[in-house]
Amino acid sequence: MSNTTQKKLFIQTLGCAMNVRDSEHIIAELKQKEDYELTDKMEDADLILINTCSVREKPVHKLFSEVGSFEKVKKSGAKIGVCGCTASHLGSEIFKRAPYVDFVLGARNVSKISQAVNTPKFISTDINHDESEYAFGEFRSSPYKSHINISIGCDKKCTYCIVPHTRGDEISIPANLILNEVKKAADGGAKEIFLLGQNVNNYGKRFSASHEKMDFSDLLVKISEVNGVERIRFTSPHPLHMDDKFLEVFVNNPKICKSMHMPLQSGNTKVLREMKRGYTKEWFLDRALKLRSMCPDVSISTDIIVAFPGETDAEFEDTMDVLERVRFEQIFSFKYSPRPLTKAAEFTNQIPDDIASARLTRLQSRHNEILDEITASQKDKILEVYFEELRANSAVAGRSFNNFLVQVDGSEELLGKTLKVKITNPKRMVLYGELVG
Ligand code: 5AD
Ligand code: SF4
């Protein structure tokens, strides 16, 4: 319930889906335990939070420019808190660089948010803090889908990646807690369940207390049996753990959405070895092409890093080759960015920025051409769309089972429904269509 004396919270979230979920947990805790309500006007807020990402250098710069601008316009007496991965990695350095920050709360320390708000200059950045059994309050940004964490941290030590240093070792959340959350979400009307973890298909490797043996495929099956669940999505799986059992459950379970994120990073086996990814070009191609043959409608998305230290022109061509063969429906591509605490940052063969930029441009331009062909081929297809978003000019949008964004003319009565759409005008970002039947 909102009233004029209620304290107001403004929260800005950078980074990945894990951070979005951490922000939902922070909001739930502050609403229920500290009586805050959300505002989207920073000037009105009594508490301003920024939930940060440190996976590349850019978002870290953004943190300091953002908190600087908050300090200038915030209401007198309003507090500023820095949360998330950059809080974990910079710790008390944040107080030094931005002395007006009131507290620093690392990723994996979200359950301490009440304490942080109520303790002057609070700091907690322990990356081994175990929140895997903590019962967070309920808050969902969308009534139509629910994001649920299944594991925290990451055990891989990819040599470019700061995440294991900000989110710590991997711990799986007990299956009964996950299933309770799924049931609550489905009872509350969320037909889509979005499972989150740094490395979801490594689920079950380690629990903090004794637990029956269970892997990600088993968990997917259990979740699909919950009444009211119609769609299951997840991110991110690791190509290394895409065994046959996993691919079979993915393809054959009718509730699992047919879109797979397969972070390639590089198409060259030597570079993959230096990245410590644990698979080869051939393994990746075998998994992706097997998936395409088992499930012709699947969408495959990927993450690619160009100009990893030492990457030669010929090695980069292997990445282009994988792009040609897999024809990803979506790519997220980045120039390598050296990160503190990581092995690759110390490699002496860093690639000049002009070469990195040229490779990125080439990759993205070729992918745009592929995407134009994929998009054009969607014309006249009939897709099942779960509508979840009102758009300007009396339009409603949602995702197809294989993750294309689809838009039709319509109003709120379409929201929360799954309907058949004929694609009439496919564009790169949105497939426009008409309801059929
Ligand atoms: N430089 C560039 N991109 C990176 N990523 C992770 N670390 C780096 C880095 N140091 C990318 C990877 C990962 C995605 C989330 O961010 O592609 O999958
Ligand atoms: Fe980083 Fe690798 Fe873990 Fe992904 S799997 S978060 S790339 S260390």
Side-chain angles (χ1 to χ4, degrees), residues 371-434:
L371 192 55
D372 282 341
E373 289 167 17
I374 294 173
T375 304
S377 72
Q378 301 305 307
K379 185 150 166 61
D380 296 330
K381 280 205 175 154
I382 309 270
L383 301 178
E384 294 237 329
V385 179
Y386 180 46
F387 287 102
E388 50 183 307
E389 188 195 343
L390 277 180
R391 296 208 140 191
N393 306 320
S394 310
V396 188
R399 296 264 161 193
S400 68
F401 207 56
N402 57 358
N403 208 28
F404 285 108
L405 185 62
V406 177
Q407 181 170 316
V408 299
D409 290 339
S411 54
E412 8 342 301
E413 70 262 23
L414 298 187
L415 293 175
K417 293 193 178 136
T418 305
L419 299 165
K420 286 198 167 67
V421 176
K422 180 172 177 178
I423 303 305
T424 49
N425 182 16
K427 296 279 179 229
R428 213 186 263 171
M429 306 302 287
V430 187
L431 308 180
Y432 295 90
E434 287 165 5

Side-chain angles (χ1 to χ4, degrees), residues 154 156-158 160-164 198-199 238 265 277:
C154 179
K156 304 274 186 243
K157 293 282 180 283
C158 303
Y160 53 80
C161 188
I162 197 172
V163 169
Q198 230 60 53
N199 208 342
H238 194 299
Q265 311 302 0
R277 291 291 291 169

Side-chain angles (χ1 to χ4, degrees), residues 48-307:
I48 300 169
L49 296 183
I50 178 160
N51 198 3
T52 59
C53 169
S54 51
V55 81
R56 282 171 295 279
E57 205 177 354
K58 251 196 212 151
V60 179
H61 287 309
K62 183 159 172 161
L63 162 66
F64 288 103
S65 65
E66 290 292 277
V67 288
S69 70
F70 294 163
E71 166 66 5
K72 287 202 192 85
V73 295
K74 71 171 191 166
K75 192 161 99 173
S76 126
K79 287 183 187 156
I80 299 178
V82 175
C83 312
C85 283
T86 310
S88 303
H89 124 239
L90 291 182
S92 57
E93 169 86 24
I94 294 175
F95 289 138
K96 285 197 205 121
R97 284 173 68 177
Y100 41 82
V101 167
D102 292 282
F103 62 87
V104 172
L105 187 68
R108 243 182 128 130
N109 288 259
V110 169
S111 58
K112 300 179 194 159
I113 184 71
S114 277
Q115 212 186 332
V117 171
N118 294 315
T119 315
K121 292 286 169 190
F122 182 88
I123 175 162
S124 182
T125 56
D126 177 6
I127 61 163
N128 289 311
H129 182 58
D130 184 355
E131 295 188 318
S132 64
E133 300 195 23
Y134 185 84
F136 287 101
E138 263 301 296
F139 178 82
R140 270 196 274 132
S141 327
S142 161
Y144 307 110
K145 65 174 162 223
S146 179
H147 287 89
I148 296 178
N149 286 354
I150 66 162
S151 60
I152 51 185
C154 179
D155 270 2
K156 304 274 186 243
K157 293 282 180 283
C158 303
T159 53
Y160 53 80
C161 188
I162 197 172
V163 169
H165 307 277
T166 64
R167 289 190 180 265
D169 291 343
E170 192 172 317
I171 301 186
S172 299
I173 294 172
N176 65 317
L177 298 184
I178 297 172
L179 285 163
N180 283 346
E181 270 209 65
V182 171
K183 281 183 197 128
K184 254 196 284 171
D187 289 346
K191 294 176 184 159
E192 183 171 309
I193 300 295
F194 206 127
L195 305 174
L196 296 175
Q198 230 60 53
N199 208 342
V200 283
N201 55 341
N202 203 28
Y203 180 82
K205 186 177 165 210
R206 183 189 306 117
F207 294 94
S208 55
S210 72
H211 192 286
E212 67 179 300
K213 197 170 162 7
M214 187 176 294
D215 65 15
F216 185 54
S217 306
D218 303 330
L219 181 71
L220 284 172
V221 171
K222 281 198 184 296
I223 291 174
S224 72
E225 287 163 356
V226 174
N227 261 343
V229 172
E230 290 182 9
R231 290 183 165 206
I232 303 169
R233 296 188 190 278
F234 52 83
T235 200
S236 269
H238 194 299
L240 179 64
H241 305 299
M242 293 192 178
D243 56 17
D244 287 346
K245 175 180 173 189
F246 170 65
L247 292 187
E248 265 148 38
V249 169
F250 175 85
V251 171
N252 295 323
N253 190 301
K255 291 191 180 171
I256 299 177
C257 289
K258 301 309 177 226
S259 78
M260 184 81 91
H261 189 58
M262 291 186 70
L264 169 66
Q265 311 302 0
S266 164
N268 176 266
T269 298
K270 177 165 163 276
V271 174
L272 287 169
R273 200 180 319 122
E274 271 151 31
M275 290 177 162
K276 278 211 168 35
R277 291 291 291 169
Y279 53 86
T280 59
K281 176 186 183 185
E282 288 68 31
W283 167 261
F284 186 94
L285 281 173
D286 175 74
R287 296 292 92 186
L289 300 179
K290 177 161 187 177
L291 181 58
R292 287 237 189 263
S293 73
M294 290 168 79
C295 185
D297 286 337
V298 72
S299 289
I300 305 182
S301 56
T302 197
D303 292 344
I304 293 174
I305 299 176
V306 302

